[in-house]
Amino acid sequence: MTYLGRPIHQGVATSSALAVLVSIPGALGYVYAGWPVAVHYPDVLALQSPFAIGYVSLIGAVLVTPDQPAHCTARGEAAHAMSKKALERAYGSYLFIVGARFCDQFVVADPAQF
């Protein structure tokens, strides 16, 4: 978005909004992927049934979901309180760390996983 002349604050806000739209199909994918595993492995079914749907933990969802609006507000206020340069550095550092972790896991991963 900064390439199109939008301020970094709008870019971060748009990124946050899109994260919500990406997380919903992601969670549904984990539910869909986890159901067949429970059929083939009865031990997994015994662990999943009361507290999970597929690979999605209902306990985790109940504990994390109510806290998200407060965190979103705090993150938004923190982003708007930062200068443009500080926000660019913070966001760039975050993206670098995420990318480095991805590359590290890809390089160090066991080829048998793929």
Side-chain angles (χ1 to χ4, degrees):
M1 288 187 65
T2 55
Y3 178 75
L4 299 174
R6 296 288 189 189
I8 186 76
H9 294 85
Q10 277 187 341
V12 171
T14 303
S15 173
S16 297
L18 290 176
V20 171
L21 297 176
V22 170
S23 67
I24 293 170
L28 293 175
Y30 275 110
V31 168
Y32 180 74
W35 270 335
V37 174
V39 172
H40 295 296
Y41 300 99
D43 296 337
V44 174
L45 179 62
L47 292 173
Q48 280 184 345
S49 292
F51 304 115
I53 301 174
Y55 289 130
V56 177
S57 167
L58 296 176
I59 295 172
V62 167
L63 292 175
V64 170
T65 303
D67 201 32
Q68 290 307 304
H71 281 112
C72 290
T73 304
R75 285 189 299 260
E77 290 173 357
H80 284 287
M82 297 171 81
S83 68
K84 177 184 175 190
K85 190 157 207 81
L87 186 58
E88 286 175 346
R89 287 183 179 165
Y91 196 59
S93 298
Y94 168 74
L95 292 177
F96 179 79
I97 291 168
V98 170
R101 289 191 65 209
F102 174 78
C103 290
D104 180 54
Q105 290 175 357
F106 182 72
V107 170
V108 178
D110 181 21
Q113 288 179 325
F114 303 108

